[in-house]
Amino acid sequence: MPILQSPWATGQRTIPVGDCSADQTAQLFEFALPVAGLAVGDIIELAVLPANNSPVDCILIAEKLDNGGAPAIAFDVGLMSGDVGDKVSARTCGAELYAAANVGQAGGIARPTLASAFTIDPADKDRSIGVKITAAAQAQAAGKKVRLMLQYRPV
C-alpha cells in the first residue's frame, strides 16, 4: 500500500499558521490522481495540521474521480500515524474527518458529519491528514483532484 504525497506533505509547499492565539487559518490542500489506479488501502498524505492547532472546520472537495458506469470510489479522511513526509515507515490513516466519503463518485463537496472532526486535540508536532481509499474506482479519472479546505486555530 503506497503512500502518495501532496506538495505540503513533502515540504515543497509551506503550511500557514496564525501569528496570534485566536487567529484562524484556512488552507486549501489538493492532490491530482495519478494515471495508475488507486487500490483499496492506498493512502494520499494530503494535508498537514500544524503543531499546537486544532481543526475548526473543513470541506472535502472532489472532482468526479470515477468514470465507471457505476462509480464506486470511496475514502476515509483523518489523521495519519507517524511523521509528516515519511514514506518509508508503515503508516495508518484514521477517519476522524470523514468515513466512507463517496463525494468523488459524482464530484461535489462534503461537510463533516462526525463529531470527531471537531474534537481533535492539539499535539506538539505537525500531523498529516490522509485520504485512505476504502473502495477503488471502477475507472479512475487520472489528473482529477481531491481537495481539503482545512480551517484550524492554535489552542
Side-chain angles (χ1 to χ4, degrees):
M1 291 179 238
I3 294 180
L4 305 166
Q5 295 177 308
S6 73
W8 293 270
T10 60
Q12 295 171 310
R13 292 263 182 98
T14 59
I15 297 98
V17 292
D19 61 357
C20 294
S21 65
D23 283 353
Q24 285 190 20
T25 304
Q27 175 64 47
L28 179 64
F29 299 93
E30 65 180 24
F31 181 82
L33 296 183
V35 173
L38 297 172
V40 171
D42 286 353
I43 297 173
I44 301 167
E45 189 175 3
L46 178 63
V48 178
L49 179 62
N52 303 309
N53 279 260
S54 288
V56 174
D57 197 7
C58 59
I59 304 170
L60 185 61
I61 308 156
E63 296 177 350
K64 183 174 171 45
L65 307 176
D66 191 341
N67 289 328
I73 193 166
F75 36 81
D76 292 343
V77 181
L79 294 175
M80 293 179 64
S81 63
D83 295 325
V84 173
D86 181 3
K87 285 184 76 168
V88 178
S89 304
R91 297 177 70 190
T92 60
C93 180
E96 294 87 355
L97 302 177
Y98 300 91
N102 63 5
V103 68
Q105 293 177 2
I109 66 166
R111 301 301 296 253
T113 59
L114 303 172
S116 57
F118 304 103
T119 58
I120 295 172
D121 291 327
D124 61 356
K125 68 175 192 169
D126 292 350
R127 292 176 288 171
S128 299
I129 295 177
V131 175
K132 180 179 180 180
I133 306 303
T134 57
Q138 264 194 347
Q140 182 173 300
K144 297 296 184 177
K145 293 182 178 179
V146 61
R147 297 175 174 95
L148 182 68
M149 173 61 78
L150 182 65
Q151 288 182 309
Y152 49 91
R153 66 177 178 81
V155 180

